[in-house]
Amino acid sequence: MPTLIRFRDGGFSQEDGALRLLADDEATPESGAMLLTLDRFQTEGCAHLDDGRRVGVLLQPDDDPLALASDLNRLAVVALAFPKFRDGRPYSAAMLLRTRWGYAGELRAVGDVLREQAREMLRCGFDAFEPADGSTSQEWTAAAGRYRHTYQRAADARAPAFIEREAQ
């Protein structure tokens, strides 16, 4: 199971990623938490949620996050896949999930996730990461805190540098 780096209360910690991805053709386990693809969630996810199970959904960059809008308040995790670190579509999906649809659960970045992207991912609303490079929570802390100022607004609601200057 991959290492999970979680951001909580202003800091990073390293944990075991308790949700296991079930392939679309894999049998559903009797109990426990699960991470489903969007296709599988649309066919059987609501039944698992109604049974009180902890369910997450994995969205690929081509998947429309709006498909989850009516179930967001019931999902434990929305995982956004980065098949390549250059693919920025999960950033946009994260912003939409946090700002437009008010998703307050765990927003996890999976796939080709690099710590050099930590600050930008946090700003878009991600709060959990499965790093591709084997990095530690200490390395994520250093990468996320590398720069103090921001230059535009984002989901994290930090004041941009021009607002800080006006306040002085």
Side-chain angles (χ1 to χ4, degrees):
M1 190 171 293
T3 298
L4 182 67
I5 306 287
R6 189 168 273 139
F7 184 78
R8 263 195 214 130
D9 302 322
F12 290 93
S13 63
Q14 202 159 317
E15 303 175 13
D16 178 20
L19 292 179
R20 186 174 69 85
L21 177 63
L22 296 180
D24 287 342
D25 59 351
E26 187 175 350
T28 304
E30 293 287 323
S31 63
M34 64 184 93
L35 187 63
L36 306 173
T37 64
L38 179 60
D39 288 341
R40 187 163 182 175
F41 178 77
Q42 289 175 325
T43 59
E44 63 186 67
C46 288
H48 297 308
L49 289 169
D50 292 342
D51 288 343
R53 294 184 70 174
R54 189 167 180 253
V55 177
V57 178
L58 173 66
L59 294 178
Q60 296 298 325
D62 290 337
D63 292 337
D64 184 0
L66 183 58
L68 298 176
S70 63
D71 295 306
L72 283 175
N73 63 339
R74 300 172 61 191
L75 294 175
V77 174
V78 175
L80 298 171
F82 285 82
K84 297 180 181 173
F85 75 91
R86 298 182 306 253
D87 193 338
R89 293 175 291 176
Y91 285 99
S92 299
M95 283 287 290
L96 290 171
L97 286 162
R98 289 288 192 217
T99 60
R100 186 172 293 168
W101 299 309
Y103 180 63
E106 180 180 299
L107 198 53
R108 186 181 295 189
V110 301
D112 199 6
V113 177
L114 306 175
R115 70 178 174 269
E116 287 79 16
Q117 300 168 325
R119 185 170 186 263
E120 289 74 22
M121 288 184 169
L122 286 173
R123 299 213 61 227
C124 289
F126 286 100
D127 57 2
F129 314 88
E130 290 181 10
D133 59 2
S135 53
T136 66
S137 58
Q138 293 83 8
E139 291 169 320
W140 276 73
T141 299
R146 191 169 293 141
Y147 305 105
R148 185 173 87 79
H149 295 289
T150 62
Y151 294 96
Q152 62 188 25
R153 297 184 193 281
D156 67 356
R158 287 183 55 196
F162 69 90
I163 299 291
E164 287 184 30
R165 275 188 235 112
E166 288 175 0
Q168 293 177 355

